[in-house]
Amino acid sequence: AIRKKPENNQNDHDTQHQIEKITNNIFFQTIKPMLSFRLSPHRVAGVIDPKSAIEAGLGDISQDPPPCPKLVLETKYDGERIVAHIDKENSKLALYTRNARDYTSMYGPAMQQHIFKAVNGTRAVLDGEMLSYDQITKKFVPFGNNRFVALQLDVNQHLCYMVFDILYYSNGNETFDLRNTSFESRRKLLEKVIKPIEKRVEVVQQRVIQPRD
């Protein structure tokens, strides 16, 4: 983290310059996020419990990722990958797809107030999935309906942003460029930054498991 100093001196000026450099390098800049690597069920088993996978005859796991000391399981939602750039100080929001398309005008009108309310701090860059939720069925709407739901023509359906990562954060006194920070540390910060609003803005739940030797 880079912290601002209250004193009006050269160190304060240098610190402010560093903050501006970091902010200009990521804030409201299009980011193409990393995509997941798909594993078949038997290959997942090989990562979690390689000995049992071999004994069960689940195939050759020699090319699989090596067993990890700790694994994190998260639900993969069938929505649109959206990177959200949030600037509450200037009431500015930008929403970009994984291919850097600007969807702010499409989803911003329905989501800005909820995203601003859910974020503790002044600025952030979040990564997540934009989905549609039906209040009657109590389920997420099938993929492909976001644009219609964003028009807010059906009072029983609304958009929901499920957040699973944070890439940048500022609360006025501290600024964090988190792109080279461990996933575990980013997750801990994310849980502090987001105040969940049920079925509007939530943090994707996760489960940590320990693979067998």
Side-chain angles (χ1 to χ4, degrees), residues 78 131-134 137 139-146 149 157:
D78 192 17
L131 301 128
S132 297
Y133 183 76
D134 191 299
T137 63
K139 295 180 180 179
F140 287 112
V141 179
F143 178 75
N145 288 279
N146 280 358
V149 173
Q157 295 182 344

Side-chain angles (χ1 to χ4, degrees), residues 131-143 145-146 148-149 153-160 198-200 202:
L131 301 128
S132 297
Y133 183 76
D134 191 299
Q135 298 179 100
I136 302 298
T137 63
K138 306 298 182 183
K139 295 180 180 179
F140 287 112
V141 179
F143 178 75
N145 288 279
N146 280 358
F148 172 78
V149 173
L153 300 177
D154 187 338
V155 296
N156 296 313
Q157 295 182 344
H158 59 257
L159 296 176
C160 176
E198 186 176 7
K199 297 300 182 289
R200 293 286 188 177
E202 297 186 27

